[in-house]
Amino acid sequence: MADLPKADELFKSINYTPPSTGWMDTPVDTSPGNWCYPAKAEKLEYLGFPNPREWNPADVDWKLPENWQDIVHEGFKERLDKYRSLKVFMDICVRCGACADKCHFFIGSGDPKNMPVLRAELMRSVYRKDFTMAGKILSTLTGSRVMTEDVLKEWFIYFYQCTECRRCSLFCPYGIDTAEVTMMARELLHLCGVNINWILEPVSNCNRTGNHLGIQPHAFKDIVDFMVDDIEEITGKRINVPINEKGHEVIFITPSGDVFADPGIYTFMGYLMLFDHIGLDYTLSTYASEGGNFGLFTSADMMKKLNAKMYAEAERLGAKWILGGECGHMWRVINQYMDTMNGPANFLEVPKSPITGTVFENARQTKMVHITEFTADLMKHNKLKLDPSRNDHIITTFHDSCNPARAMGLLDEPRYVIKNVVKNFHEMPEQTIREQTFCCAGGSGLNTDEIMEIRMRGGLPRGNALKTVQDENGVNMLSCICAIDRATLIPLANYWAPGVDVCGVHELVGNALIMDGEKERETDLRMEPLPGKEG
Amino acid sequence: MNALYSLVLVFALVLIALFGVGSAHMAGLFGTMLPYVAVAVFLAGFASRIIGWAKSPVPFSIPTTGGQQKSLDFIKHDRFDNPVTPGQTFIRMILEVCCFRTLFRNTSVELKDGRVSYASSKWLWLFSLLFHYSFLLIVIRHMRLFFEPVPACIGFVEFLDGIMQIGVPRLYMSDLLILTGLGFLLGRRLKDPKVRYISLVTDYFPLLLIIGIALSGIYMRYFAHVDIIAIKKLTMGLVTFSPVIPAGISVVFYIHLFLVCVLLVYFPFSKLMHAGGVFLSPTRNMPNDTRIKHHENPWNDPNIKPHSYADYEDDFREPMIEAGLPVEKES
Ligand code: SF4
Ligand code: SF4
């Protein structure tokens, strides 16, 4: 991170004029800082991924398997037969460029290979050569090229500069989803043993310990106990948190980032306080202690394997339905993949709020409700005692996480919750919120420090929008509903809008919640004095 | 460079027709054989492409949502950007296909005063709409060459198109509009550095080809004043499968026809297939209802199981007991 340029220098370095050489003739830059560290061999071995080895992307020799070209070709063919999306997206792009300036990585870098259309062309060019007649005969004229080692390297660099945020898809007249193309390209790279550790290590942890941080069950319990202590200190109330207990109505699953890291833990405390307040009959699980699914960034099979834990555990514990925490990728998987891959979960019941009696018809099949849907419903029915003035020191805005926003349309529920607990709320500029939201630039497994400059560049659109409301409205808090955001937006805000902090929505709920029998609060969940209560 | 290649290519095609008919006297080939072949290739190619796509399953339902989901009663659902029923999805598709709704939303990015700014950018929307609808009008107008008597609806379209009553023969608005649309699309491709950078020969070629077709058509109608009765004899001969080559048809017509044939043959093998593909795009043509209804993945592998709870407990039983967590099996 040492050589990260200053924010204004970085801004000035952005240039949208493409290089004079054509993109096929512009060599890929594999110098350090352009890539995430490769996966450790032992992680690949544990997960049974092919070609585990020590290698370095800065070297010329990537130690690929002998027949890697055949592997890619066969893998490509298989995926064309399995996914209509891939086939159609390879064929119908008209290169209109409507998507070109929609990607945060392009906006922040000006590198034309970060234009979604060109990112996908990296793969389409090979597709044309291998799978279309015209491409076979008329190579250069049709923009096709042979899969060489350099092309593979280019794939590695640029498909790991895509956070699979799908913003490009929103603007493409044919709905071409470059995130889908990226997912396929990464699957093909995996087949050759080309992958990154920041994805594979979490995947292997999730598999074994149940969560991506590798928190073991007893440690998980310790952490929860700490939080219970903190809640007692703040509210004077000791609450009980069931873990791995059978026979409760609801099982609550959230990303493990909420359990482990600041500021997620405050959000987690907010959940626990809320559940106690409404007397929810629930349990946590250590076995299914991860909502976020890093499998999404490796392969459909791995995504399925990791996700299956949620239903398996709900069944084992005899819960009736599942309540899910604030997490971006988790909800993309739950909304678009879970029931298809892991269901139908007929051992569960259609979720019904035990407090308000609301039946969540929109979760009839997955049996899984998002916590902001659940809390919004509680608020609408006046089931919560709230004192929003406890959040008066907070002037907040809201960051829509890409995945829930563009794969689900979860836009108004979190806003409804926030507006009930915070008086000072301001939206960021229109083109940067709701379905048009900009990525935190650390999604899809890229929230790692070795590519900090790339992340800060990709974070420009979000950071810039944040700076706007900071300047105009004095915003000092960026709330969000994603655990990855809670990790990645902190350096981003520090860089582009210093002075803005990051929180989860249920942290704000926890602050405002008046629990039965609590003492007068003097601090917020961060143990910072409430306004008027200082010293 | 790519634009130049394409221009040369289109010129070569014009020359082929020019010499083929003008000097080599192969009007029969250009007037009857090629059109048949072209139409056959177009139909078969189009169908086979669609079938090819349709053969691959849609394992997951992956719509891109553009608005609020359907959830609680008091939260307003955005029905057409985040559809949950087939009807809503249908309307989303109609808006997309007929109004290019996504392009309507297009914005462009600029770096100004230390900020990223986003401006609405509807030119691409406007001119592609212009181009596509004029094309449609022109195709409908041309149908008059294939019917005897000419159905009233075609006559009506023609009437509308020429409603401005300018000149003799009457000026069709669509002729001007299609050139405007095409001109913009080509100009944008050449001028916008980003778009020029991604443009391939296969992007310029169809544009220039269609421009060639439009120009030759316009030339025929307004300047060369070709013998339309003779042409109709030829086209009617084609559709009734009794081809004739009437005398006195200008060579421009054969150039026009040849370019159209090339377009038809080229169509199914190119990006022009977006015309069919747009209907098959899973991010747009599916409802966002996977939490509500089961969606089947035909290749979902039932053998993929999670790391089991039993194995997990075996790994951590001792510390779990020590921490007071419930276990299935006491060690
Ligand atoms: S918007 Fe769609 S069609 Fe246009 S260049 Fe991008 S991916 Fe291709
Ligand atoms: S999915 Fe997001 S990161 Fe990837 S190309 Fe599209 S806009 Fe860029």
Side-chain angles (χ1 to χ4, degrees):
Chain A
M1 252 192 90
D3 46 2
L4 191 60
K6 288 217 174 58
D8 54 335
E9 285 165 22
L10 187 145
F11 188 91
K12 277 189 211 121
S13 74
I14 303 168
N15 177 2
Y16 292 151
T17 316
S20 52
T21 47
W23 61 268
M24 283 196 199
D25 308 316
T26 308
V28 57
D29 180 2
T30 54
S31 49
N34 279 333
W35 36 263
C36 310
Y37 297 143
K40 291 183 195 127
E42 84 222 38
K43 301 295 169 199
L44 296 188
E45 263 153 33
Y46 169 72
L47 291 166
F49 274 83
N51 202 21
R53 69 204 187 284
E54 296 299 327
W55 64 287
N56 183 346
D59 292 345
V60 176
D61 181 11
W62 284 19
K63 305 183 190 162
L64 297 172
E66 196 76 16
N67 57 339
W68 70 269
Q69 271 160 316
D70 298 333
I71 296 176
V72 170
H73 182 84
E74 285 308 309
F76 208 149
K77 187 159 175 288
E78 187 190 330
R79 278 157 190 80
L80 288 167
D81 291 337
K82 279 167 107 174
Y83 293 93
R84 185 182 304 165
S85 52
L86 181 64
K87 227 188 218 175
V88 171
F89 295 166
M90 287 291 112
D91 282 328
I92 65 170
C93 172
V94 297
R95 286 170 294 281
C96 67
C99 59
D101 55 359
K102 306 302 181 289
C103 176
H104 50 287
F105 284 116
F106 174 73
I107 294 174
S109 72
D111 183 343
K113 285 178 191 165
N114 272 327
M115 299 193 280
V117 44
L118 202 39
R119 195 188 308 287
E121 287 287 308
L122 299 180
M123 199 165 169
R124 273 190 211 113
S125 53
V126 173
Y127 164 81
R128 288 189 202 109
K129 182 80 197 169
D130 284 13
F131 301 101
T132 69
M133 224 207 314
K136 274 181 197 142
I137 313 166
L138 300 162
S139 249
T140 44
L141 284 186
T142 59
S144 69
R145 59 177 177 175
V146 181
M147 185 76 193
T148 61
E149 238 170 277
D150 284 336
V151 173
L152 185 92
K153 290 178 180 177
E154 200 171 55
W155 282 20
F156 177 68
I157 298 295
Y158 288 99
F159 288 116
Y160 285 94
Q161 281 187 47
C162 165
T163 43
E164 304 183 359
C165 77
R166 309 181 93 203
R167 191 169 192 270
C168 44
S169 166
L170 184 73
F171 291 93
C172 171
Y174 317 113
I176 293 176
D177 183 1
T178 304
E180 184 83 355
V181 175
T182 294
M183 285 161 74
M184 299 300 150
R186 288 192 185 182
E187 285 199 14
L188 297 181
L189 290 170
H190 273 287
L191 298 178
C192 306
V194 175
N195 29 38
I196 69 171
N197 201 55
W198 189 249
I199 291 177
L200 269 296
E201 188 155 331
V203 166
S204 119
N205 284 341
C206 283
N207 193 50
R208 195 174 99 90
T209 58
N211 56 69
H212 86 261
L213 293 161
I215 307 166
Q216 302 190 357
H218 45 292
F220 186 91
K221 173 142 195 319
D222 280 350
I223 297 170
V224 171
D225 287 344
F226 276 127
M227 287 195 225
V228 170
D229 290 345
D230 280 356
I231 292 172
E232 186 175 13
E233 199 180 326
I234 295 162
T235 67
K237 237 197 122 178
R238 183 125 198 119
I239 62 172
N240 175 44
V241 181
I243 304 177
N244 291 357
E245 286 181 11
K246 291 191 176 174
H248 294 287
E249 182 172 356
V250 174
I251 167 171
F252 177 67
I253 302 177
T254 199
S256 61
D258 284 350
V259 187
F260 175 74
D262 200 351
I265 48 171
Y266 309 122
T267 306
F268 200 92
M269 284 158 67
Y271 304 141
L272 300 181
M273 292 161 71
L274 174 75
F275 299 156
D276 182 84
H277 180 63
I278 58 173
L280 186 70
D281 178 23
Y282 79 104
T283 182
L284 305 176
S285 159
T286 61
Y287 166 69
S289 51
E290 177 64 75
N293 191 328
F294 273 64
L296 174 65
F297 319 137
T298 55
S299 68
D301 290 351
M302 189 48 78
M303 166 167 59
K304 175 177 180 182
K305 186 172 163 67
L306 297 182
N307 207 65
K309 277 189 181 179
M310 298 198 213
Y311 280 155
E313 185 69 341
E315 187 170 24
R316 183 183 77 88
L317 296 178
K320 289 192 187 146
W321 55 277
I322 308 174
L323 184 59
E326 298 180 7
C327 181
H329 299 107
M330 164 175 168
W331 281 94
R332 164 124 204 239
V333 175
I334 286 164
N335 186 50
Q336 298 200 317
Y337 299 98
M338 184 175 193
D339 173 67
T340 310
M341 293 183 310
N342 307 106
N346 291 331
F347 46 87
L348 296 172
E349 293 174 10
V350 176
K352 177 176 168 188
S353 169
I355 321 299
T356 65
T358 301
V359 177
F360 290 92
E361 290 293 345
N362 64 330
R364 167 164 287 282
Q365 184 65 24
T366 50
K367 320 284 199 290
M368 209 163 160
V369 174
H370 192 282
I371 183 110
T372 59
E373 295 171 332
F374 183 71
T375 307
D377 173 63
L378 291 170
M379 289 173 163
K380 180 73 186 174
H381 289 87
N382 280 322
K383 297 292 178 189
L384 303 183
K385 279 188 236 148
L386 299 166
D387 176 4
S389 74
R390 290 191 198 145
N391 281 321
D392 277 356
H393 56 309
I394 291 174
I395 306 169
T396 192
T397 185
F398 178 68
H399 163 72
D400 291 274
S401 310
C402 306
N403 281 289
R406 279 185 287 267
M408 199 172 166
L410 186 86
L411 308 173
D412 282 329
E413 294 87 345
R415 287 178 168 81
Y416 186 82
V417 173
I418 294 171
K419 286 176 187 166
N420 269 289
V421 293
V422 183
K423 281 189 222 150
N424 310 308
F425 174 75
H426 301 278
E427 291 279 13
M428 287 181 276
E430 204 191 334
Q431 298 88 352
T432 67
I433 55 167
R434 298 177 73 92
E435 67 273 0
Q436 298 195 46
T437 186
F438 273 108
C439 186
C440 63
S444 86
L446 303 187
N447 49 333
T448 169
D449 288 352
E450 60 267 23
I451 54 162
M452 226 3 138
E453 181 172 338
I454 291 174
R455 282 174 53 193
M456 291 305 112
R457 285 181 179 279
L460 168 66
R462 172 45 72 234
N464 210 240
L466 184 59
K467 182 93 176 79
T468 305
V469 282
Q470 184 189 28
D471 291 349
E472 287 174 8
N473 309 102
V475 162
N476 59 13
M477 187 64 88
L478 175 59
S479 59
C480 62
I481 46 166
C482 171
I484 290 187
D485 287 340
R486 285 189 278 277
T488 55
L489 290 174
I490 291 175
L492 186 151
N494 272 337
Y495 191 79
W496 289 114
V500 180
D501 228 324
V502 177
C503 75
V505 168
H506 276 75
E507 176 182 342
L508 302 173
V509 174
N511 276 340
L513 201 63
I514 307 173
M515 299 166 77
D516 299 326
E518 68 173 23
K519 66 171 192 190
E520 218 207 334
R521 289 205 209 168
E522 287 171 354
T523 69
D524 61 12
L525 297 188
R526 301 188 178 198
M527 304 240 190
E528 280 157 13
L530 287 174
K533 300 282 157 79
E534 302 90 341
Chain B
M1 224 24 214
N2 282 342
L4 209 62
Y5 282 142
S6 311
L7 193 63
V8 170
L9 221 59
V10 175
F11 265 121
L13 291 173
V14 172
L15 289 182
I16 290 176
L18 193 63
F19 287 113
V21 179
S23 321
H25 306 293
M26 293 191 291
L29 176 71
F30 284 87
T32 56
M33 276 298 287
L34 275 178
Y36 279 129
V37 172
V39 170
V41 171
F42 174 77
L43 292 176
F46 199 98
S48 86
R49 288 303 292 279
I50 299 277
I51 294 167
W53 288 328
K55 265 208 224 133
S56 294
V58 183
F60 301 109
S61 172
I62 52 165
T64 310
T65 63
Q68 172 60 39
Q69 67 165 344
K70 176 153 180 53
S71 68
L72 299 158
D73 293 340
F74 61 93
I75 287 179
K76 192 170 176 298
H77 172 214
D78 191 338
R79 282 175 304 164
F80 305 135
D81 280 319
N82 196 338
V84 286
T85 64
Q88 293 165 358
T89 317
F90 183 74
I91 292 181
R92 184 185 202 193
M93 282 303 283
I94 292 276
L95 289 172
E96 195 56 73
V97 174
C98 299
C99 310
F100 299 4
R101 186 144 173 264
T102 297
L103 273 183
F104 187 71
R105 292 198 180 136
N106 195 22
T107 55
S108 68
V109 155
E110 229 187 312
L111 300 176
K112 253 201 332 232
D113 314 323
R115 289 281 157 98
V116 192
S117 59
Y118 312 89
S120 158
S121 160
K122 300 203 190 315
W123 296 116
L124 182 58
W125 169 80
L126 183 68
F127 285 97
S128 4
L129 211 59
L130 219 55
F131 160 62
H132 282 86
Y133 274 101
S134 325
F135 202 120
L136 181 69
L137 272 182
I138 292 172
V139 170
I140 295 176
R141 267 207 278 113
H142 276 69
M143 285 303 131
R144 143 185 94 106
L145 295 173
F146 302 98
F147 289 100
E148 193 57 66
V150 178
C153 53
I154 296 174
F156 183 65
V157 167
E158 234 186 312
F159 166 72
L160 279 185
D161 202 350
I163 204 157
M164 292 205 305
Q165 309 253 1
I166 303 173
V168 179
R170 259 190 302 143
L171 178 73
Y172 289 131
M173 282 182 292
S174 51
D175 286 344
L176 285 185
L177 295 181
I178 198 169
L179 283 181
T180 317
L182 285 164
F184 174 84
L185 293 179
L186 182 66
R188 175 177 174 275
R189 229 174 240 299
L190 289 167
K191 224 183 119 242
D192 183 330
K194 294 196 297 294
V195 187
R196 190 173 59 227
Y197 199 66
I198 53 177
S199 295
L200 303 170
V201 169
T202 48
D203 297 311
Y204 292 110
F205 175 68
L207 269 179
L208 290 165
L209 184 62
I210 299 172
I211 289 177
I213 292 172
L215 287 178
S216 57
I218 288 170
Y219 179 76
M220 250 194 304
R221 179 175 163 80
Y222 301 102
F223 303 102
H225 302 293
V226 289
D227 181 351
I228 194 80
I229 315 249
I231 290 177
K232 180 140 186 181
K233 257 193 210 133
L234 185 143
T235 52
M236 287 311 295
L238 286 174
V239 282
T240 51
F241 294 102
S242 39
V244 282
I245 300 290
I249 299 180
S250 150
V251 70
V252 206
F253 167 76
Y254 290 101
I255 295 177
H256 184 67
L257 183 64
F258 180 60
L259 294 182
V260 171
C261 290
V262 172
L263 183 67
L264 285 174
V265 172
Y266 179 73
F267 199 106
F269 306 99
S270 69
K271 72 166 195 179
L272 300 179
M273 276 306 289
H274 67 269
V278 60
F279 295 95
L280 289 169
S281 178
T283 56
R284 290 290 189 274
N285 70 10
M286 307 186 86
N288 177 28
D289 64 353
T290 28
R291 276 167 82 204
I292 305 171
K293 269 207 209 111
H294 184 67
H295 172 94
E296 188 66 31
N297 170 357
W299 48 261
N300 196 21
D301 181 356
N303 297 317
I304 299 175
K305 294 266 180 343
H307 179 68
S308 75
Y309 176 80
D311 288 346
Y312 172 82
E313 196 180 293
D314 285 348
D315 250 11
F316 299 113
R317 184 169 293 109
E318 290 307 321
M320 280 172 87
I321 294 173
E322 230 165 83
L325 290 168
V327 287
E328 299 265 325
K329 262 195 306 189
E330 300 293 336
S331 51

